[in-house]
């Protein structure tokens, strides 16, 4: 909160009633004494700055002595009889939105995380001491809730993916090969996000979901191709499995590389452009590029290797 040194004026209501003077007269006279003569305004969008002509600098107490105010009977009285003043610190500005006025607090990097119980407790204590009602909200907290929902949806999707692939491959272990590629993609996305100076937020989480979809598709096609080759050989010995894996590698190499390279090239212009839109999309692009780079090597090497090691027995 920004504060500034201010003069705090208090109008004596009882004295006004005793002498028959209205508060508007006092305010009007104070504006004259303080030199608040408005000439014009400077308008810039929604900001209006008044242009004020100041009077000569004199002792404020002397001004209150010399300034007079008249009541309804025409009698004049010194302004100091109706005003009390003191110096103190007051808020420089008040922020407000549709929910009402609020006080902003700037958190520095050396404080605890905004979602910790310690900081929330400190804010509650500060609000109670100042007779305020506090509500902690903002983009950070809404993003945290959205991330939790996204993680839960991703978990449900992985479970459904396992059951669907189990029915398609007619196997309980082959879908695990596909699912075990997902952590590698997430790890690659996090590494690239860290290198690029981005954090895990809604945009990067969406990028991970997109990247995992591409990775799963490559792994599924690779496993399906190896199953078809092995079935065509009508043998399941070690040599037949090796031949099926080797043949599937040659068949699926170009499609996997083309999918990955075209996706990476299509996203690369976002990293080279500037502006607000590019900054918002940068975490998404980094997550997709990092995960897809690791995912490509996973589909080309990890999936065939695990398939061969399990299927040969």
């Amino acid at each position: 909160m920004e504060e500034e040194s201010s003069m705090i004026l208090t109008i004596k209501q009882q004295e006004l009633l005793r002498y028959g003077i209205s508060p508007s007269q006092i305010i009007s006279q104070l504006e004259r004494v303080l030199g608040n003569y408005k000439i014009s305004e400077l308008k810039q969008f929604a900001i209006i700055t008044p242009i004020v002509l100041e009077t000569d600098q004199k002792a404020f107490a002397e001004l209150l002595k010399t300034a007079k105010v008249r009541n309804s009977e025409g009698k004049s009285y010194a302004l100091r009889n109706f005003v009390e003043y003191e110096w103190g610190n007051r808020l420089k500005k008040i922020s407000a939105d549709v929910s009402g006025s609020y006080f902003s607090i700037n958190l520095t990097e050396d404080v605890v995380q905004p979602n910790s119980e310690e900081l929330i407790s400190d804010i509650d204590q500060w609000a109670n001491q100042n007779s305020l009602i506090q509500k902690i909200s903002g983009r950070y907290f809404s993003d945290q809730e959205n991330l939790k929902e996204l993680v839960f949806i991703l978990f449900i999707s992985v479970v459904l993916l396992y059951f669907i692939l189990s029915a398609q491959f007619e196997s309980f272990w082959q879908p695990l090969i596909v699912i075990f590629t997902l952590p590698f993609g997430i790890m690659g996305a996090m590494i690239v996000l860290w290198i690029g100076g981005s954090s895990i937020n809604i945009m990067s989480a969406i990028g991970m979901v997109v990247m995992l979809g591409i990775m799963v598709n490559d792994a599924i096609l690779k496993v399906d191709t190896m199953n078809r080759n092995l079935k065509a050989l009508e043998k399941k010995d070690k040599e037949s499995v090796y031949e099926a894996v080797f043949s599937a590698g040659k068949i699926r190499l170009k499609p996997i590389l083309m999918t990955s390279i075209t996706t990476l090239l299509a996203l690369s212009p976002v990293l080279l452009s500037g502006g607000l839109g590019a900054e918002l999309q940068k975490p998404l692009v980094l997550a997709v590029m990092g995960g897809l780079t690791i995912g490509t090597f996973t589909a080309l090497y990890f999936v065939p290797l695990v398939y061969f090691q399990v299927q040969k027995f």
Side-chain angles (χ1 to χ4, degrees):
M1 296 180 294
E2 298 183 19
E3 294 184 348
E4 61 180 353
S5 179
S6 306
M7 177 187 293
I8 305 169
L9 296 171
T10 304
I11 298 177
K12 301 177 182 179
Q13 297 291 340
Q14 293 182 350
E15 297 297 326
L16 295 182
L17 294 175
R18 180 180 302 175
Y19 291 95
I21 298 175
S22 64
S24 60
Q25 291 178 270
I26 301 297
I27 295 174
S28 177
Q29 190 66 14
L30 284 173
E31 289 179 350
R32 294 189 181 94
V33 170
L34 297 175
N36 189 9
Y37 295 99
K38 183 177 178 182
I39 300 175
S40 181
E41 293 178 340
L42 292 177
K43 296 183 179 180
Q44 183 178 11
F45 299 104
I47 302 175
I48 300 176
T49 304
I51 301 175
V52 177
L53 178 63
E54 295 184 354
T55 59
D56 296 334
Q57 295 182 355
K58 297 180 180 179
F60 184 68
E62 187 66 25
L63 290 175
L64 292 180
K65 288 181 182 179
T66 57
K68 302 293 183 179
V69 61
R70 295 178 181 273
N71 62 2
S72 58
E73 298 176 356
K75 296 181 179 181
S76 299
Y77 300 95
L79 186 59
R80 69 175 182 176
N81 297 324
F82 309 101
V83 176
E84 293 180 347
Y85 68 93
E86 61 178 344
W87 294 95
N89 293 327
R90 285 294 184 267
L91 295 176
K92 188 175 182 180
K93 59 182 179 180
I94 299 177
S95 303
D97 55 15
V98 292
S99 60
S101 60
Y102 62 89
F103 301 98
S104 300
I105 299 177
N106 295 324
L107 300 178
T108 58
E109 296 180 356
D110 56 344
V111 300
V112 292
Q113 294 297 324
N115 60 340
S116 68
E117 296 295 333
E118 182 180 352
L119 180 59
I120 295 176
S121 176
D122 293 341
I123 295 176
D124 287 337
Q125 184 178 1
W126 173 82
N128 293 331
Q129 292 175 352
N130 292 272
S131 301
L132 300 173
I133 299 175
Q134 63 85 19
K135 178 182 178 183
I136 300 178
S137 61
R139 180 68 178 273
Y140 173 84
F141 298 98
S142 61
D143 286 350
Q144 292 299 310
E145 292 296 327
N146 293 334
L147 282 175
K148 292 179 181 178
E149 295 177 359
L150 200 58
V151 170
F152 177 74
I153 294 173
L154 183 60
F155 173 76
I156 298 298
S157 301
V158 171
V159 174
L160 294 177
L161 176 65
Y162 175 80
F163 288 113
I164 294 173
L165 293 181
S166 297
Q168 179 181 351
F169 294 150
E170 297 179 357
S171 172
F172 290 106
W173 66 267
Q174 288 186 358
L176 295 177
I177 299 177
V178 177
I179 293 175
F180 285 158
T181 61
L182 302 182
F184 292 99
I186 296 176
M187 179 183 65
M190 289 185 175
I191 292 175
V192 175
L193 285 172
W194 176 71
I195 295 174
S198 297
S199 61
I200 300 177
N201 49 38
I202 292 298
M203 297 302 295
S204 59
I206 294 174
M208 289 184 186
V209 172
V210 174
M211 173 269 301
L212 293 177
I214 300 175
M215 280 187 58
V216 166
N217 183 57
D218 291 340
I220 291 174
L221 293 177
K222 194 66 175 289
V223 173
D224 183 68
T225 304
M226 290 185 291
N227 286 339
R228 291 176 181 270
N229 292 343
L230 187 61
K231 185 177 180 180
L233 294 174
E234 297 181 353
K235 295 180 182 180
K236 290 189 178 180
D237 53 4
K238 184 176 180 179
E239 289 75 14
S240 300
V241 175
Y242 178 80
E243 184 178 349
V245 171
F246 184 78
S247 177
K250 293 192 297 183
I251 295 173
R252 301 305 311 171
L253 176 61
K254 289 183 179 180
I256 291 176
L257 290 178
M258 289 176 62
T259 301
S260 301
I261 293 174
T262 53
T263 303
L264 295 176
L265 292 177
L267 294 174
S268 58
V270 179
L271 298 178
L272 303 177
S273 59
L276 179 60
E279 291 297 324
L280 291 175
Q281 296 175 3
K282 183 179 178 180
L284 185 149
V285 173
L286 291 176
V288 174
M289 297 181 72
L292 196 57
T293 302
I294 301 297
T296 301
F297 289 98
T298 302
L300 293 176
Y301 297 102
F302 175 79
V303 173
L305 179 61
V306 175
Y307 183 91
F308 174 77
Q309 294 297 328
V310 177
Q311 189 68 40
K312 69 179 182 180
F313 298 106

PDB file of all heavy atoms in Angstrom, residues 15-28:
ATOM      1  N   GLU A  15     -19.853  22.769  16.716  1.00  0.00           N
ATOM      2  CA  GLU A  15     -19.678  24.212  16.552  1.00  0.00           C
ATOM      3  C   GLU A  15     -20.483  24.742  15.370  1.00  0.00           C
ATOM      4  O   GLU A  15     -21.008  25.862  15.404  1.00  0.00           O
ATOM      5  CB  GLU A  15     -18.193  24.537  16.355  1.00  0.00           C
ATOM      6  CG  GLU A  15     -17.317  24.176  17.530  1.00  0.00           C
ATOM      7  CD  GLU A  15     -17.688  24.967  18.778  1.00  0.00           C
ATOM      8  OE1 GLU A  15     -18.089  26.136  18.630  1.00  0.00           O
ATOM      9  OE2 GLU A  15     -17.578  24.418  19.889  1.00  0.00           O
ATOM     10  N   LEU A  16     -20.592  23.929  14.318  1.00  0.00           N
ATOM     11  CA  LEU A  16     -21.395  24.348  13.165  1.00  0.00           C
ATOM     12  C   LEU A  16     -22.855  24.516  13.551  1.00  0.00           C
ATOM     13  O   LEU A  16     -23.522  25.477  13.143  1.00  0.00           O
ATOM     14  CB  LEU A  16     -21.258  23.323  12.033  1.00  0.00           C
ATOM     15  CG  LEU A  16     -19.873  23.154  11.392  1.00  0.00           C
ATOM     16  CD1 LEU A  16     -19.953  22.140  10.251  1.00  0.00           C
ATOM     17  CD2 LEU A  16     -19.358  24.489  10.867  1.00  0.00           C
ATOM     18  N   LEU A  17     -23.378  23.574  14.336  1.00  0.00           N
ATOM     19  CA  LEU A  17     -24.782  23.667  14.766  1.00  0.00           C
ATOM     20  C   LEU A  17     -24.988  24.865  15.701  1.00  0.00           C
ATOM     21  O   LEU A  17     -26.031  25.539  15.659  1.00  0.00           O
ATOM     22  CB  LEU A  17     -25.184  22.362  15.476  1.00  0.00           C
ATOM     23  CG  LEU A  17     -25.212  21.097  14.606  1.00  0.00           C
ATOM     24  CD1 LEU A  17     -25.493  19.874  15.457  1.00  0.00           C
ATOM     25  CD2 LEU A  17     -26.247  21.225  13.496  1.00  0.00           C
ATOM     26  N   ARG A  18     -23.999  25.155  16.535  1.00  0.00           N
ATOM     27  CA  ARG A  18     -24.143  26.251  17.501  1.00  0.00           C
ATOM     28  C   ARG A  18     -24.187  27.600  16.791  1.00  0.00           C
ATOM     29  O   ARG A  18     -24.968  28.487  17.173  1.00  0.00           O
ATOM     30  CB  ARG A  18     -22.977  26.214  18.487  1.00  0.00           C
ATOM     31  CG  ARG A  18     -23.033  27.317  19.546  1.00  0.00           C
ATOM     32  CD  ARG A  18     -21.836  27.203  20.479  1.00  0.00           C
ATOM     33  NE  ARG A  18     -21.813  25.880  21.123  1.00  0.00           N
ATOM     34  CZ  ARG A  18     -20.820  25.465  21.908  1.00  0.00           C
ATOM     35  NH1 ARG A  18     -19.759  26.253  22.092  1.00  0.00           N
ATOM     36  NH2 ARG A  18     -20.878  24.276  22.464  1.00  0.00           N
ATOM     37  N   TYR A  19     -23.373  27.788  15.749  1.00  0.00           N
ATOM     38  CA  TYR A  19     -23.300  29.089  15.078  1.00  0.00           C
ATOM     39  C   TYR A  19     -24.119  29.135  13.785  1.00  0.00           C
ATOM     40  O   TYR A  19     -24.122  30.162  13.110  1.00  0.00           O
ATOM     41  CB  TYR A  19     -21.847  29.430  14.764  1.00  0.00           C
ATOM     42  CG  TYR A  19     -21.027  29.719  16.001  1.00  0.00           C
ATOM     43  CD1 TYR A  19     -20.277  28.716  16.597  1.00  0.00           C
ATOM     44  CD2 TYR A  19     -21.017  30.999  16.566  1.00  0.00           C
ATOM     45  CE1 TYR A  19     -19.528  28.972  17.738  1.00  0.00           C
ATOM     46  CE2 TYR A  19     -20.269  31.268  17.698  1.00  0.00           C
ATOM     47  CZ  TYR A  19     -19.519  30.250  18.292  1.00  0.00           C
ATOM     48  OH  TYR A  19     -18.782  30.514  19.413  1.00  0.00           O
ATOM     49  N   GLY A  20     -24.793  28.033  13.451  1.00  0.00           N
ATOM     50  CA  GLY A  20     -25.652  28.052  12.269  1.00  0.00           C
ATOM     51  C   GLY A  20     -24.897  28.135  10.953  1.00  0.00           C
ATOM     52  O   GLY A  20     -25.282  28.908  10.066  1.00  0.00           O
ATOM     53  N   ILE A  21     -23.835  27.344  10.822  1.00  0.00           N
ATOM     54  CA  ILE A  21     -23.011  27.333   9.603  1.00  0.00           C
ATOM     55  C   ILE A  21     -23.070  25.934   8.992  1.00  0.00           C
ATOM     56  O   ILE A  21     -22.970  24.929   9.708  1.00  0.00           O
ATOM     57  CB  ILE A  21     -21.553  27.720   9.916  1.00  0.00           C
ATOM     58  CG1 ILE A  21     -21.513  29.155  10.477  1.00  0.00           C
ATOM     59  CG2 ILE A  21     -20.674  27.618   8.669  1.00  0.00           C
ATOM     60  CD1 ILE A  21     -20.134  29.580  10.932  1.00  0.00           C
ATOM     61  N   SER A  22     -23.237  25.889   7.685  1.00  0.00           N
ATOM     62  CA  SER A  22     -23.342  24.589   7.006  1.00  0.00           C
ATOM     63  C   SER A  22     -21.957  24.029   6.692  1.00  0.00           C
ATOM     64  O   SER A  22     -20.997  24.788   6.498  1.00  0.00           O
ATOM     65  CB  SER A  22     -24.144  24.737   5.710  1.00  0.00           C
ATOM     66  OG  SER A  22     -23.461  25.571   4.800  1.00  0.00           O
ATOM     67  N   PRO A  23     -21.814  22.687   6.613  1.00  0.00           N
ATOM     68  CA  PRO A  23     -20.511  22.085   6.258  1.00  0.00           C
ATOM     69  C   PRO A  23     -20.017  22.508   4.880  1.00  0.00           C
ATOM     70  O   PRO A  23     -18.807  22.606   4.658  1.00  0.00           O
ATOM     71  CB  PRO A  23     -20.807  20.575   6.302  1.00  0.00           C
ATOM     72  CG  PRO A  23     -21.975  20.444   7.223  1.00  0.00           C
ATOM     73  CD  PRO A  23     -22.805  21.673   6.993  1.00  0.00           C
ATOM     74  N   SER A  24     -20.931  22.753   3.943  1.00  0.00           N
ATOM     75  CA  SER A  24     -20.506  23.158   2.607  1.00  0.00           C
ATOM     76  C   SER A  24     -19.785  24.495   2.632  1.00  0.00           C
ATOM     77  O   SER A  24     -18.860  24.737   1.844  1.00  0.00           O
ATOM     78  CB  SER A  24     -21.716  23.233   1.671  1.00  0.00           C
ATOM     79  OG  SER A  24     -22.653  24.178   2.157  1.00  0.00           O
ATOM     80  N   GLN A  25     -20.167  25.389   3.551  1.00  0.00           N
ATOM     81  CA  GLN A  25     -19.472  26.667   3.664  1.00  0.00           C
ATOM     82  C   GLN A  25     -18.031  26.458   4.134  1.00  0.00           C
ATOM     83  O   GLN A  25     -17.102  27.116   3.650  1.00  0.00           O
ATOM     84  CB  GLN A  25     -20.212  27.593   4.637  1.00  0.00           C
ATOM     85  CG  GLN A  25     -21.555  28.082   4.127  1.00  0.00           C
ATOM     86  CD  GLN A  25     -22.256  28.946   5.154  1.00  0.00           C
ATOM     87  OE1 GLN A  25     -23.010  28.447   5.993  1.00  0.00           O
ATOM     88  NE2 GLN A  25     -21.995  30.251   5.105  1.00  0.00           N
ATOM     89  N   ILE A  26     -17.851  25.576   5.090  1.00  0.00           N
ATOM     90  CA  ILE A  26     -16.507  25.290   5.608  1.00  0.00           C
ATOM     91  C   ILE A  26     -15.634  24.684   4.510  1.00  0.00           C
ATOM     92  O   ILE A  26     -14.474  25.085   4.323  1.00  0.00           O
ATOM     93  CB  ILE A  26     -16.584  24.342   6.816  1.00  0.00           C
ATOM     94  CG1 ILE A  26     -17.443  24.959   7.927  1.00  0.00           C
ATOM     95  CG2 ILE A  26     -15.189  24.005   7.322  1.00  0.00           C
ATOM     96  CD1 ILE A  26     -16.884  26.231   8.487  1.00  0.00           C
ATOM     97  N   ILE A  27     -16.197  23.726   3.774  1.00  0.00           N
ATOM     98  CA  ILE A  27     -15.431  23.079   2.712  1.00  0.00           C
ATOM     99  C   ILE A  27     -15.052  24.076   1.628  1.00  0.00           C
ATOM    100  O   ILE A  27     -13.923  24.090   1.121  1.00  0.00           O
ATOM    101  CB  ILE A  27     -16.242  21.902   2.123  1.00  0.00           C
ATOM    102  CG1 ILE A  27     -16.435  20.817   3.192  1.00  0.00           C
ATOM    103  CG2 ILE A  27     -15.548  21.325   0.896  1.00  0.00           C
ATOM    104  CD1 ILE A  27     -17.343  19.695   2.765  1.00  0.00           C
ATOM    105  N   SER A  28     -15.991  24.921   1.253  1.00  0.00           N
ATOM    106  CA  SER A  28     -15.721  25.925   0.235  1.00  0.00           C
ATOM    107  C   SER A  28     -14.618  26.890   0.676  1.00  0.00           C
ATOM    108  O   SER A  28     -13.728  27.235  -0.102  1.00  0.00           O
ATOM    109  CB  SER A  28     -17.001  26.693  -0.082  1.00  0.00           C
ATOM    110  OG  SER A  28     -16.747  27.717  -1.019  1.00  0.00           O
TER     111      SER A  28
END
